[in-house]
Amino acid sequence: GAVVSQHPSWVICKSGTSVKIECRSLDFQATTMFWYRQFPKQSLMLMATSNEGSKATYEQGVEKDKFLINHASLTLSTLTVTSAHPEDSSFYICSAPPAGVGGELFFGEGSRLTVL
Amino acid sequence: GENVEQHPSTLSVQEGDSAVIKCTYSDSASNYFPWYKQELGKRPQLIIDIRSNVGEKKDQRIAVTLNKTAKHFSLHITETQPEDSAVYFCAASIPWGGGSNYKLTFGKGTLLTVNP
């Protein structure tokens, strides 16, 4: 199956700093990527849809100025958590649908962010 | 938007027994229903999926049924094994982007424990 790689897997940062998470499709091109957030023992909540070459589409309640998304190429999308606070600590996971597969999403490994 | 309800939230079975997880969805336009298995700290893995033009699909010990009229679908795991223990998520998807992409809405998850 298609491979989606996410980096870093773990990140610890101080409150007020920014953190960038990368999501790469390794063997296919992805014009769209999805970013999810998962709090402990909870489900995956869609944060935003990343669109190559255009602005991301954010879900209701997600601050676009806090969670900056850039989809600069067909294989890379980045999520930057700006001015992180402890409540931003979570498991962030990206996914991408290979074109033509017909629905299946391939997930990255996830990035666990801890804000001190 | 789409709303997916999943039950039960926790399920404990004895090894060898069957496990059934049920989901309902709200949007009749949804036409793709995947099931994901997620082990602690890892990415969700697709275990089976079904499309709206099919009522049932089976893959070895795993089966999924779909009732479009009632808007519900179920995951059935037979002859459960301890390694089946994980969190299982159902999802429903509406096509968008001209039908070439799917945006998933996840259920809240079911923690399945298979006791040896």
Side-chain angles (χ1 to χ4, degrees):
Chain A
V3 178
V4 176
S5 179
Q6 196 170 334
H7 178 81
S9 301
W10 293 83
V11 58
I12 300 173
C13 70
K14 292 182 179 180
S15 185
T17 60
S18 295
V19 174
K20 179 186 284 188
I21 301 169
E22 295 186 346
C23 180
R24 295 180 185 273
S25 56
L26 298 186
D27 53 358
F28 66 98
Q29 294 182 333
T31 56
T32 300
M33 290 186 178
F34 300 102
W35 285 95
Y36 293 86
R37 178 168 54 186
Q38 186 177 34
F39 291 109
K41 298 185 179 180
Q42 294 190 23
S43 188
L44 293 94
M45 298 300 297
L46 180 65
M47 297 175 65
T49 303
S50 169
N51 305 298
E52 187 270 334
S54 64
K55 292 182 179 180
T57 304
Y58 290 81
E59 296 300 303
Q60 191 172 7
V62 178
E63 300 176 59
K64 61 181 181 181
D65 294 332
K66 181 171 184 61
F67 299 99
L68 302 179
I69 291 174
N70 184 17
H71 195 148
S73 76
L74 288 172
T75 59
L76 173 65
S77 175
T78 60
L79 168 68
T80 301
V81 183
T82 62
S83 187
H85 288 92
E87 56 266 30
D88 298 323
S89 299
S90 186
F91 190 57
Y92 293 87
I93 189 164
C94 68
S95 67
V101 172
E104 182 174 355
L105 281 185
F106 293 92
F107 286 88
E109 302 95 325
S111 299
R112 184 160 302 284
L113 170 64
T114 301
V115 184
L116 301 177
Chain B
E2 175 66 280
N3 182 46
V4 178
E5 298 285 339
Q6 183 172 346
H7 298 280
S9 56
T10 61
L11 179 60
S12 182
V13 300
Q14 288 299 121
E15 183 176 0
D17 288 350
S18 295
V20 180
I21 303 171
K22 299 182 178 182
C23 288
T24 60
Y25 62 98
S26 61
D27 195 327
S28 57
S30 291
N31 63 358
Y32 175 64
F33 308 91
W35 286 88
Y36 287 87
K37 175 183 180 182
Q38 187 180 29
E39 297 178 352
L40 187 63
K42 296 188 177 181
R43 76 181 93 189
Q45 298 276 6
L46 179 71
I47 57 171
I48 196 167
D49 56 14
I50 192 167
R51 300 186 187 278
S52 58
N53 59 346
V54 176
E56 184 174 356
K57 183 176 178 181
K58 189 174 181 179
D59 182 4
Q60 299 182 344
R61 298 186 296 109
I62 296 173
V64 58
T65 59
L66 171 65
N67 184 325
K68 284 177 56 181
T69 303
K71 296 202 204 67
H72 67 69
F73 55 115
S74 301
L75 176 71
H76 303 253
I77 305 175
T78 59
E79 300 172 32
T80 54
Q81 302 166 3
E83 50 266 37
D84 293 330
S85 297
V87 178
Y88 290 81
F89 292 99
C90 64
S93 179
I94 301 174
W96 63 285
S100 60
N101 277 323
Y102 291 76
K103 182 182 288 188
L104 294 182
T105 300
F106 286 86
K108 293 188 182 299
T110 297
L111 174 61
L112 173 64
T113 303
V114 180
N115 302 300

